[in-house]
Amino acid sequence: MTTPRHVQARVAPAPVPPEADRWRRTHICGVPVDVLTMEETLVAASELIESGRPHQHVAINAAKVVAARRDPRLRQIIESCALANADGQSIVWASRLLRPRLPERVAGIDFMLRMWEVAADRGYRVYLLGAKPSTVQKAADAARAQGVTVVGARSGYWTPAEEPAVVAEVAGSRPDLLFVGLPTPHKEEFLHRHLDGLRTPLAVGVGGSFDVVAGEVTRAPRWMQRTGLEWVHRMRQEPRRLVRRYAEGNLKFVAMVARDATNRLRRGPRRPGRPRRAAR
C-alpha cells in the first residue's frame, strides 16, 4: 500500500505544477481543459497527491466557461489549476469543432466517487467540506461505507470572520484529499485563496455532488448523461435555482462555440514551418 503523503511537508502551490507537463492541455473558448480520460485523470490525481504539494482540481462545464469569459479572475484561477476536466458533455462536443477532441467526459461526481475508491485502496485521508450539515454527514457516511478514511466533514455555511477557523480545521486534520461542495465561483475562489493554508495535496471542487450521494438529489438516467441532457433533469428538480442559469448560459455557450469555430475556419489550417502573419 502506498504511504499517505499527509506526513510530508507541504509547500506553496506553483502556477504550473511540474507533474502537469505529463499531460496535454487545450482550451475551449479560452478556458483550459486537460485532454484526459477518466483513467488517466485518476493516475494524474494520484501523482499530484504523491508529490505532497498542494494542487487544485476544477471541473469545466458550459456554465463555467461562460462565467470565466465574463470574469477574468475566475479564468485566471482555472488557468492555475493543476487539473481541469471536462465535466459537461457539451464541452466534449465543443472540442470536436474547436479541436483537439477531448476523449471523454470526466464528470465531477464520477471523479469524486472513483477517487474515493483510490483513497480506500491507498489509505488516503479525506475531508468533505460544503453543503448542509445533514447532507455532508450523509456523504461522509457513504464514503466511510466504501472504506474511505474520512478525517473530517463540515457544512458549507460560515461567515467571513469564521473562514480562517474553517481553513485551520481542515489543515489540522491533515487530509490527502479535500472535496469542496460549494457553488461556482465560491469554491474556486475559496480553494485558490487558501490552497497553501489548507495543506492538502489535492483539493477538488465538486459542486452539488454531496447532495446526490446523500440521496437528496437524483442523478439523471444514463441516456440523458450520454446525450447531454442531464441539465434538463437537474432543472426539473431545482427549477427556481437553475432555469435562468441553463436558459441563458447554454445559449451563450452555443454562441461562443459557434463564433470560435467560425473564426477557426476563417483562419484556416496553419501550414507547418510557416509562421502566422501578425495581425495589423
Side-chain angles (χ1 to χ4, degrees):
M1 178 181 292
T2 304
T3 302
R5 295 296 174 166
H6 59 79
V7 298
Q8 297 186 356
R10 307 285 166 78
V11 299
V16 182
E19 294 87 351
D21 291 339
R22 297 186 60 182
W23 55 85
R24 185 181 183 187
R25 173 162 288 190
T26 186
H27 286 75
I28 301 295
C29 299
V31 176
V33 185
D34 292 321
V35 187
L36 293 170
T37 64
M38 173 64 82
E39 297 304 321
E40 291 168 341
T41 300
L42 297 176
V43 172
S46 298
E47 290 178 358
L48 296 178
I49 294 172
E50 293 299 321
S51 77
R53 294 186 298 274
H55 304 89
Q56 183 174 348
H57 171 280
V58 63
I60 305 299
N61 54 28
K64 197 165 294 182
V65 169
V66 172
R69 178 69 70 93
R70 182 176 60 249
D71 182 357
R73 172 62 176 166
L74 176 59
R75 186 167 67 250
Q76 290 172 0
I77 291 174
I78 296 173
E79 287 280 1
S80 72
C81 290
L83 272 175
N85 282 128
D87 176 54
Q89 186 62 39
S90 58
I91 301 297
V92 177
W93 289 340
S95 73
R96 297 174 184 176
L97 288 174
L98 302 176
R99 304 288 177 164
R101 293 171 63 110
L102 296 170
E104 65 182 12
R105 178 191 183 197
V106 182
I109 184 171
D110 293 332
F111 175 63
M112 181 183 77
L113 294 175
R114 292 295 304 277
M115 283 306 298
W116 284 5
E117 295 176 4
V118 174
D121 180 60
R122 301 192 178 189
Y124 293 148
R125 297 158 61 89
V126 172
Y127 195 107
L128 305 183
L129 177 65
K132 297 181 297 185
S134 59
T135 302
V136 72
Q137 289 300 329
K138 290 178 183 176
D141 290 342
R144 292 189 180 101
Q146 296 182 29
V148 178
T149 301
V150 179
V151 294
R154 191 194 191 283
S155 78
Y157 296 88
W158 61 79
T159 66
E162 294 171 328
E163 189 160 294
V166 173
V167 173
E169 179 182 328
V170 174
S173 68
R174 300 176 300 158
D176 299 296
L177 261 170
L178 168 64
F179 295 98
V180 178
L182 297 175
T184 299
H186 301 300
K187 62 179 176 295
E188 289 81 10
E189 293 173 350
F190 172 81
L191 289 175
H192 184 77
R193 186 164 61 244
H194 297 294
L195 190 58
D196 186 36
L198 290 165
R199 300 179 67 82
T200 180
L202 184 59
V204 182
V206 294
S209 296
F210 295 165
D211 299 86
V212 177
V213 173
E216 298 176 2
V217 175
T218 61
R219 188 103 186 260
R222 285 289 182 183
W223 70 267
M224 295 187 82
Q225 296 178 40
R226 290 194 302 268
T227 55
L229 293 175
E230 191 167 11
W231 64 273
V232 176
H233 181 81
R234 292 188 61 193
M235 191 169 64
R236 286 176 178 174
Q237 296 183 85
E238 303 177 89
R240 291 185 178 181
R241 186 175 74 88
L242 297 176
V243 64
R244 184 174 180 179
R245 168 186 165 183
Y246 286 134
E248 294 183 3
N250 288 357
L251 289 175
K252 289 180 180 178
F253 178 72
V254 170
M256 289 166 57
V257 171
R259 182 168 58 250
D260 286 8
T262 299
N263 291 337
R264 180 176 178 274
L265 288 173
R266 286 174 178 172
R267 289 194 301 266
R270 184 176 179 180
R271 296 180 181 179
R274 184 176 181 180
R276 186 176 293 161
R277 183 178 297 177
R280 295 181 179 178

